[in-house]
């Protein structure tokens, strides 16, 4: 009996079973049926072919499992899923082949720069394919068509299909030269040079063409079936936007924390992809095992609370859950209750997520961190960590998603230490501020450069610093670091000083920007122009200075550790721009927060965010603990979700336990909530529900003067409050 068919959308909970070659010997279908039942999975992704076929393939050179016998593992799982009304996707992996393919079609095999066949780095005797050559375009295409024609699947899914470098085959070299007029780049070419830049652009185009080719190929034989590519956490890098928009959903293959990653990395990836492709469903692939790239323990399991926390943080920020298990045998079943717990929580809140959209008052500027220098990457992590600790829900905005600046209720954009923005982005940020928004620029703010489609002349140095355009403040010097023993001192009576107690001086930065010398020495003093920023001479009125740099002085010998003159250069400054405001931190506060986690830097960022938001927020979380919050607005509803990250291991390693939080309260400004939701929130018509023991329960709220406060029951992995009216 076949149950009613479900659609291929972003509301599913996915079980992925990745077979190993000898699984046909003892694959237990009933055992996996139980896993699917316990985890409330609504969709399944099953290994089908590519490197190994788990069905009786008829495609020449398509390696059939040596142990398959008369079994059809693909067919068995498809029939099971269809009997339960589940969505089904068949997985292929075309990145490697066996020796017979090498002997018969050597032109399909990737080669080294020296022209040698590329043997697999982990498995002797097998070889890597050239992703741009005939194996992908011909043989894999026939495999996909065979599966789509012969099996009742909704989609085909490819893993490791993007290749492992240029391939250096004759056909790829010829295609690249025809498209670019260049030879394929080699290790001798600088990574940031023109050769590799041309390759990256060509690669994206070629892979995008391959996705379209595969999608059309399967639809030729099964019009309802689609092709879905697996992608990394920077989804836009491998596909052209038009192609990314055409696939049913996007998958982020960030299966668990690697070394030095924070527990919020799952949610970050969800937000990043959603910002690039608004409205497109996004899924997060989670492995039940550890993901150290150095050790590769693929047949083991993570601590249960680590797996649960990773999945929960992903769906809090909009990534539907997906777990993958390598090998059908289950020698260590401790992962099953972990997935069961996470999927159960998703089942509870998924209906509201499906009917809502992510909203936030705060946006963070997102630059493509791949290939970016370490300071840029650390600054991105630092501002993320700070906002999570401060309980501030936020979304991303970037060069490809400037429309987010016009979303209802957006009040503040934080631009951490990115070195440049293009002219279109600078104009959009200025318009946002002039229209009443607030900007927070750290690291002195970026320079404005010509856009990617503008051909700059040899003497075109760009438009200068963004802060110069916004506040009229000239940049005298950018000190790239590392500056040691730097401090900042607050101006008497200045702003942004809450939380510092009696301290007059706190830690500054290691990379500093020197602006024009202030006129006068008090808080609110104007900042002089007429320096390298290209501003006309004379003081610029309306720019206030709340902190100044203490002049550099030695850090050894200890007897020499004292400043020789009074603070002068502005370290934190700001002013009005049109109807809005711009605040600038003239040092690398975001990068340094990630590196050193100085409490005073968090306090400074808190003060700056509060000022940018006008002293109040739509949502505030009160109580102990670290909660990674997101806000969602629906038709006459508003939901606050927060993943509980409170654990000594939240910054790296595996969690040891969930730390339940008592006494957490959620405060909501109903006017701000209404701005985000797109309409007024009637205080006298509110229904409030909270998550209790994994299920929704009615709750009481204290409503006074346009504000609501909701006390939460003890918070375990997930806190949730839902307002409806």
């Amino acid at each position: 009996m076949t149950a009613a068919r479900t659609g291929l959308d972003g509301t599913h909970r996915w079980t992925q079973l990745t077979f190993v070659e000898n699984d046909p010997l003892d694959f237990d279908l009933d055992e996996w049926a139980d896993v699917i039942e316990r985890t409330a999975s609504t969709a399944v992704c099953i290994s089908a072919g590519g490197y190994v076929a788990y069905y009786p393939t008829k495609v020449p050179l398509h390696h059939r499992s040596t142990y398959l016998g008369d079994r059809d593992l693909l067919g068995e799982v498809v029939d099971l899923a269809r009997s339960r009304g589940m969505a089904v996707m068949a997985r292929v992996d075309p990145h490697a082949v066996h020796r017979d393919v090498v002997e018969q079609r050597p032109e399909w095999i990737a080669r080294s720069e020296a022209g040698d066949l590329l043997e697999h780095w982990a498995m002797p005797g097998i070889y890597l394919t050239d992703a741009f050559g005939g194996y992908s375009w011909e043989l894999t295409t026939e495999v996909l068509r065979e599966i789509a024609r012969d099996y009742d699947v909704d989609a085909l899914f490819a893993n490791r299909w993007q290749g492992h470098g240029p391939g250096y085959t004759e056909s790829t070299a010829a295609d690249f030269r025809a498209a670019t007029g260049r030879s394929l780049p080699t290790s001798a070419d600088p990574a940031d040079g023109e050769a590799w830049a041309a390759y990256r652009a060509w690669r994206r185009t070629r892979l995008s063409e391959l996705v379209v080719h595969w999608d059309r190929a399967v639809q030729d034989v099964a019009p309802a079936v689609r092709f879905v590519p697996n992608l990394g956490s920077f989804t836009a890098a491998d596909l052209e936007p038009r192609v990314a928009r055409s696939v049913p959903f996007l998958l982020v293959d960030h299966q668990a924390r690697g070394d030095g990653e924070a527990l919020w990395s799952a949610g970050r990836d969800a937000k990043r992809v959603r910002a690039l492709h608004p409205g497109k469903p996004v899924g997060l692939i989670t492995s039940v095992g550890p993901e150290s790239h150095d050790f590769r323990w693929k047949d083991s399991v993570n601590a249960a609370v680590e797996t649960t926390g990773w999945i929960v943080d992903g769906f809090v920020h909009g990534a539907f859950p997906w777990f993958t298990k390598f090998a059908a045998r289950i020698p260590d079943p401790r992962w099953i209750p972990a997935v069961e717990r996470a999927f159960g929580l998703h089942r509870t809140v998924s209906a509201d997520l499906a009917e809502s959209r992510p909203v936030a008052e705060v946006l963070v500027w997102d630059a493509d961190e791949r290939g970016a220098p370490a300071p840029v990457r650390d600054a991105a992590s630092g501002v993320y960590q700070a906002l999570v600790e401060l309980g501030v829900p936020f979304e991303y905005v970037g060069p490809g998603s400037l429309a987010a600046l016009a979303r209802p209720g957006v009040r503040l954009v934080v631009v951490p230490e990115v070195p440049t923005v293009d002219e279109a982005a600078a104009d959009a940020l200025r318009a946002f501020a002039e229209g009443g928004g607030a900007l927070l620029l750290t690291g002195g703010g970026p320079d404005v450069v010509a856009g990617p489609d503008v051909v700059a002349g040899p003497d075109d140095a760009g438009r200068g610093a963004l802060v110069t355009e916004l506040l009229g403040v000239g940049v005298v010097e950018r000190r790239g670091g590392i500056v040691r023993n730097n401090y900042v001192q607050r101006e008497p009576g200045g702003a942004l000083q809450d939380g510092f107690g009696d301290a007059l001086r706190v830690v500054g930065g290691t990379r500093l920007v020197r602006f024009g010398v202030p006129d006068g020495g008090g808080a609110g003093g104007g900042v002089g122009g007429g320096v390298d920023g290209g501003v006309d001479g004379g003081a610029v009125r309306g720019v206030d200075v709340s902190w100044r740099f203490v002049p550099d002085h030695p850090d050894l010998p200890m007897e020499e550790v004292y400043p020789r003159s009074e603070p002068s250069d502005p370290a934190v400054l700001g002013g009005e721009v049109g109807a809005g405001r711009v605040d600038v931190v003239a040092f690398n506060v975001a990068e340094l927060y990630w590196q050193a986690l100085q409490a005073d830097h968090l306090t400074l960022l808190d003060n700056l965010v509060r000022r940018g938001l006008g002293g109040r927020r739509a949502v505030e979380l009160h109580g102990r603990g670290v909660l990674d919050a997101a806000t969602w607005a629906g038709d006459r509803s508003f939901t606050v979700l927060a993943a509980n990250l409170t654990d000594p291991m939240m910054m790296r390693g595996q969690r040891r336990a969930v730390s339940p939080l008592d006494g957490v309260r959620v405060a909501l400004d109903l006017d701000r909530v209404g701005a985000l939701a797109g309409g007024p929130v009637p205080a006298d018509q509110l229904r409030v529900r909270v998550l209790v023991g994994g299920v929704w329960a009615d709750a009481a709220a204290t409503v006074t003067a346009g504000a609501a406060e909701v006390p939460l029951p003890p918070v375990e992995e997930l806190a949730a409050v839902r307002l409806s009216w």
Side-chain angles (χ1 to χ4, degrees):
M1 177 179 178
T2 301
R5 194 164 185 145
T6 59
L8 193 68
D9 56 28
T11 64
H12 287 297
R13 290 174 294 278
W14 287 81
T15 287
Q16 179 184 347
L17 177 52
T18 305
F19 288 130
V20 296
E21 183 154 8
N22 69 343
D23 272 336
L25 292 175
D26 52 10
F27 173 57
D28 188 338
L29 184 64
D30 291 337
E31 181 179 44
W32 278 94
D34 180 65
V35 169
I36 288 169
E37 180 71 24
R38 288 180 58 182
T39 58
S41 295
T42 60
V44 63
C45 178
I46 186 70
S47 289
Y51 177 64
V52 175
Y54 297 98
Y55 69 97
T57 178
K58 298 180 178 62
V59 175
L61 295 180
H62 187 205
H63 177 81
R64 171 175 167 159
S65 170
T66 305
Y67 305 96
L68 188 63
D70 59 359
R71 295 194 74 171
D72 181 352
L73 268 58
L74 173 61
E76 292 176 29
V77 178
V78 169
D79 290 345
L80 170 68
R82 286 306 186 205
S83 70
R84 295 167 176 252
M86 303 173 73
V88 182
M89 188 149 56
R91 173 189 181 274
V92 300
D93 187 329
H95 88 280
V97 292
H98 294 79
R99 185 71 199 183
D100 59 333
V101 179
V102 179
E103 293 171 349
Q104 296 186 49
R105 300 300 299 266
E107 72 275 16
W108 288 354
I109 309 306
R111 294 178 181 268
S112 68
E113 295 177 15
D116 299 322
L117 295 172
L118 277 184
E119 193 171 15
H120 201 285
W121 67 91
M123 178 67 181
I126 67 170
Y127 291 81
L128 299 177
T129 58
D130 175 17
F132 311 108
Y135 186 83
S136 292
W137 285 82
E138 299 170 30
L139 188 139
T140 302
T141 301
E142 289 309 306
V143 170
L144 294 171
R145 288 167 60 89
E146 179 180 58
I147 296 168
R149 183 182 60 245
D150 296 346
Y151 292 89
D152 185 16
V153 299
D154 296 291
L156 278 300
F157 168 76
N159 184 62
R160 288 190 178 271
W161 61 280
Q162 303 103 317
H164 296 82
Y168 298 109
T169 61
E170 289 184 6
S171 62
T172 295
D175 289 345
F176 183 71
R177 182 175 294 279
T180 68
R182 294 176 173 273
S183 299
L184 286 168
T186 69
S187 56
D189 294 303
D192 58 351
E194 293 182 0
W196 281 107
Y199 169 74
R200 286 190 290 268
W202 175 82
R203 175 182 183 271
R204 186 168 75 155
T205 297
R206 194 63 174 146
L207 291 178
S208 297
E209 292 170 348
L210 183 58
V211 169
V212 172
H213 169 72
W214 281 340
D215 197 34
R216 290 174 177 169
V218 297
Q219 290 182 67
D220 282 345
V221 297
V225 177
R226 299 298 306 277
F227 173 76
V228 177
N230 191 17
L231 296 164
S233 57
F234 292 92
T235 304
D238 285 330
L239 291 182
E240 294 175 346
R242 62 178 179 83
V243 176
R245 288 191 294 267
S246 72
V247 300
F249 52 75
L250 298 171
L251 288 170
V252 178
D253 192 2
H254 191 176
Q255 297 184 16
R257 284 198 284 175
D259 297 335
E261 286 188 299
L263 191 51
W264 45 250
S265 299
R268 175 201 58 192
D269 290 344
K271 286 196 281 195
R272 173 172 281 144
V273 176
R274 286 194 292 94
L276 291 167
H277 306 288
K280 179 66 64 177
V282 175
L284 176 71
I285 301 177
T286 298
S287 173
V288 302
E291 277 299 300
S292 169
H293 297 296
D294 293 330
F295 305 121
R296 298 286 292 176
W297 291 308
K298 301 306 296 180
D299 202 23
S300 187
V301 302
N302 266 333
V305 292
E306 174 75 17
T307 298
T308 301
W310 187 258
I311 296 172
V312 168
D313 196 65
F315 74 67
V316 159
H317 295 287
F320 61 81
W322 171 309
F323 83 87
T324 180
K325 169 67 171 68
F326 295 90
R329 300 168 185 82
I330 307 179
D332 185 345
R334 290 177 294 174
W335 60 269
I336 300 175
V339 174
E340 184 178 0
R341 172 69 174 167
F343 276 30
L345 291 169
H346 179 264
R347 179 173 55 183
T348 299
V349 302
S350 59
D352 186 54
L353 295 183
E355 297 170 359
S356 302
R357 65 189 183 281
V359 294
E361 294 184 294
V362 177
L363 302 180
V364 171
W365 189 262
D366 187 33
D368 187 345
E369 296 173 35
R370 294 170 319 117
V376 174
R377 299 195 305 272
D378 285 353
S381 295
V383 77
Y384 204 112
Q385 174 69 25
L387 292 176
V388 167
E389 288 192 62
L390 295 173
V392 177
F394 69 95
E395 293 289 320
Y396 276 127
V397 62
S401 55
L402 294 175
L405 295 171
R407 289 177 186 163
V410 174
R411 298 176 183 273
L412 171 65
V413 177
V414 182
V415 183
E417 290 111 53
V418 295
T420 61
V421 294
D422 65 27
E423 293 178 324
D427 293 342
L429 290 170
R430 183 185 189 100
F432 174 76
E434 290 178 340
L439 298 179
L440 170 54
L441 313 178
T442 70
D447 287 328
V448 182
V449 298
D453 299 325
V454 177
V455 179
D459 299 325
D460 188 354
R463 287 175 10 190
L466 180 61
V467 68
T468 302
E469 294 192 4
L470 293 170
L471 293 178
V473 177
V475 174
V476 176
E477 179 186 15
R478 292 186 183 272
R479 301 176 66 182
I482 298 292
V483 178
R484 297 182 180 276
N485 204 37
N486 178 255
Y487 302 90
V488 296
Q489 183 165 308
R490 61 186 184 181
E491 284 285 274
L496 305 174
Q497 297 184 9
D498 292 345
F500 291 100
D502 296 330
L504 299 178
R505 181 181 301 172
V506 300
V507 170
T510 59
R511 307 178 200 278
L512 317 180
V513 178
R514 183 182 169 213
F515 292 115
V517 178
D519 297 320
V527 177
V531 288
D532 291 349
V535 184
D536 293 336
V540 179
R541 299 185 181 276
V543 177
D544 56 88
V545 178
S546 52
W547 293 79
R548 296 185 189 274
F549 286 120
V550 175
D552 294 356
H553 50 282
D555 63 341
L556 281 175
M558 298 306 297
E559 292 80 0
E560 302 289 350
V561 184
Y562 63 93
R564 270 60 170 180
S565 58
E566 291 300 310
S568 57
D569 291 336
V572 182
L573 62 155
E576 295 180 357
V577 175
R581 180 174 181 85
V582 176
D583 283 303
V584 183
V585 180
F587 61 92
N588 56 330
V589 64
E591 177 196 6
L592 203 52
Y593 188 64
W594 182 247
Q595 294 173 343
L597 291 173
Q598 289 291 303
D600 286 336
H601 289 162
L602 183 64
T603 300
L604 177 60
L605 288 168
D606 187 18
N607 289 339
L608 286 160
V609 169
R610 287 186 180 277
R611 180 153 81 172
L613 293 175
R616 59 196 179 102
R617 299 191 215 154
V619 174
E620 293 205 33
L621 305 175
H622 299 291
R624 295 182 180 275
V626 180
L627 290 165
D628 185 7
T631 45
W632 296 75
D635 183 16
R636 301 178 65 83
S637 72
F638 187 83
T639 302
V640 181
L641 299 178
N644 181 7
L645 306 188
T646 310
D647 190 273
M649 312 305 292
M650 72 164 290
M651 302 299 288
R652 66 184 302 269
Q654 291 189 25
R655 298 181 83 173
R656 302 295 191 258
V658 173
S659 301
L661 303 178
D662 290 317
V664 176
R665 296 169 290 118
V666 180
L668 303 107
D669 183 310
L670 297 183
D671 287 340
R672 293 284 182 96
V673 168
L676 291 170
V681 179
D684 59 345
Q685 299 178 27
L686 283 181
R687 181 190 181 192
V688 182
R689 290 189 292 166
V690 299
L691 204 62
V692 180
V695 297
W696 288 112
D698 288 328
T702 302
V703 181
T704 56
E709 185 170 281
V710 182
L712 297 185
V715 175
E716 295 187 12
E717 295 93 344
L718 178 66
V721 176
R722 189 170 192 268
L723 307 183
S724 56
W725 56 91

